[in-house]
């Protein structure tokens, strides 16, 4: 059984929990309906904070009503099984939801931030946040009003945890990407880094990703089916 596994998850792992994906080949993702440049950039927030906050309020409310699915639970089992055998799972997610944690994953790297946290643009404090967020809210830390924003990484901002991610990639003996379209960098480049280190790579996805040719193995299907089956196989190896 591989000892140190690196798993990158994307919106597809949460799709069956009712959280929308961003891009798909049918043109039904969130970014087909809404322009990411008007909702997910620091410039958009500076220009029109009300609209940006309302977009994230809606997604936060959806998230609070969602539940983890079989794919999230299987990845929590994988972490526990590797831990028992002296190995580790590096679970890196581009998702801003908390469904991996709610399924029992203990260590999750949220490289694009977390929707259930708010960050102050004035003092940089990060706080848990489950309510709607308005420009009138004052930062609980520094008291400044109008500076709180969702703790998410927007286009043009530096993703979180890149040092940890780099170390985990170099240590891995198996790389898997689950439910991600391979369209957003730097996450879409991790598979090439793993390959460069000689690590076997596996894609689990509903439709082939943009970077599908970089994977040694491909398993197409719904994450709630493919991920539990893959985890059982890996744990049994
Ligand atoms: C950065 C935030 C510098 C919160 C998001 C040109 C070339 C290369 C790069 C760039 C370029 N121009 C600009 C860039 C950089 C840019 C980028 O990549 N742009 C792209 C669009 C070209 N990247 C950035 O700006 C990043 N920052 O580069 O900083 C830097 C870099 C390194 C070191 C230092 C500095 C920041 C990117 C962060 C963007 N934040 N959102 C939010 O609102 O959510 S983007 C958004 O896309 C999501 O948040 C998500 O995190 C991300 C990735 O999407 P996926 O998770 O892959 O989801 P998607 O919908 O696309 O795909 C779903 C998949 O699931 C599909 O494959 C589908 O088939 C599958 N699926 C569906 N259902 C199921 C399923 N699979 C299994 N089962 C199912 N049931």
């Amino acid at each position: 059984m591989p000892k140190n596994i690196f798993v990158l998850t994307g919106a597809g792992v949460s799709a069956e929990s009712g959280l929308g994906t961003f891009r798909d080949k049918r043109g039904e993702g969130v970014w087909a309906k809404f322009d990411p440049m008007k909702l997910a950039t620091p410039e958009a927030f500076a220009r029109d904070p009300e609209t940006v906050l309302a977009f994230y309020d809606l997604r936060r409310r959806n998230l609070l009503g969602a539940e983890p699915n079989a794919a999230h639970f299987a990845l929590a089992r994988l972490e526990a099984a590797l831990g028992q055998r002296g190995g580790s799972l590096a679970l890196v997610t581009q998702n801003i939801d908390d469904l991996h944690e709610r399924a029992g994953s203990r260590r999750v790297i949220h490289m694009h931030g977390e929707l259930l946290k708010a960050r102050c643009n004035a003092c940089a404090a990060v706080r848990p946040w489950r309510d709607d967020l308005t420009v009138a809210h004052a930062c609980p830390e520094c008291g400044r009003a109008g500076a709180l924003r969702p703790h998410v990484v927007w286009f043009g901002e530096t993703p979180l945890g890149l040092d940890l991610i780099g170390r985990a990639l170099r240590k891995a003996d198996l790389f898997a990407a689950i439910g991600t379209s391979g369209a957003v960098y730097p996450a879409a480049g991790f598979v090439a880094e793993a390959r460069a280190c000689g690590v076997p790579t596996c894609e689990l996805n509903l439709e082939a990703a943009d970077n599908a040719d970089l994977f040694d193995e491909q398993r197409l299907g719904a994450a709630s089916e493919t991920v539990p089956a893959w985890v059982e196989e890996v744990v049994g190896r």
Side-chain angles (χ1 to χ4, degrees):
M1 170 181 170
K3 201 167 165 217
N4 298 306
I5 302 182
F6 186 108
V7 169
L8 172 70
T9 62
V13 84
S14 297
E16 291 163 86
S17 294
L19 304 181
T21 60
F22 297 91
R23 310 164 192 79
D24 63 33
K25 307 266 186 294
R26 298 175 302 283
E28 288 170 6
V30 171
W31 297 148
K33 294 187 211 109
F34 303 101
D35 179 355
M37 294 304 120
K38 293 190 176 143
L39 294 167
T41 64
E43 294 78 16
F45 184 63
R47 207 168 36 238
D48 185 357
E50 283 88 357
T51 299
V52 172
L53 292 177
F55 172 67
Y56 285 96
D57 286 347
L58 188 66
R59 290 176 58 198
R60 196 181 299 103
R61 281 182 232 147
N62 283 344
L63 170 57
L64 290 171
E67 297 292 339
N69 66 54
H72 298 105
F73 287 110
L75 290 170
R77 282 201 300 281
L78 179 61
E79 182 183 34
L82 288 168
Q84 276 166 12
R85 296 176 197 193
S88 67
L89 174 68
L91 179 54
V92 177
T93 188
Q94 299 166 83
N95 299 343
I96 59 175
D97 65 56
D98 66 341
L99 298 183
H100 284 305
E101 286 89 343
R102 280 199 259 155
S105 286
R106 298 169 71 90
R107 212 169 136 262
V108 185
I109 302 176
H110 281 275
M111 64 178 294
H112 290 168
E114 293 171 77
L115 184 54
L116 298 182
K117 291 184 180 168
R119 185 167 80 239
C120 178
N121 265 340
C123 74
V126 176
R127 286 288 185 103
W129 200 279
R130 300 174 77 84
D131 300 324
D132 285 358
L133 192 53
T134 70
V135 287
H137 275 111
C139 170
E141 195 73 25
C142 70
R144 173 99 170 258
L148 286 177
R149 56 167 281 184
H151 181 50
V152 300
V153 177
W154 285 323
F155 287 102
E157 296 184 319
T158 303
L160 306 172
L162 290 176
D163 285 350
L164 267 176
I165 292 170
R167 279 200 292 277
L169 269 172
R170 286 188 290 277
K171 181 171 131 181
D173 45 26
L174 178 62
F175 175 97
I178 303 174
T180 175
S181 62
V184 174
Y185 288 84
F190 293 165
V191 58
E193 289 182 49
R195 275 182 84 87
C197 299
V199 178
T201 56
C202 178
E203 175 189 12
L204 296 98
N205 219 346
L206 196 59
E207 298 158 323
D210 293 0
N211 55 0
D213 56 340
L214 293 175
F215 290 87
D216 300 312
E217 190 190 348
Q218 187 185 52
R219 298 181 180 207
L220 295 184
S224 64
E225 291 172 14
T226 57
V227 178
W230 175 75
V231 165
E232 290 316 308
E233 233 178 84
V234 167
V235 166
R237 261 182 222 168

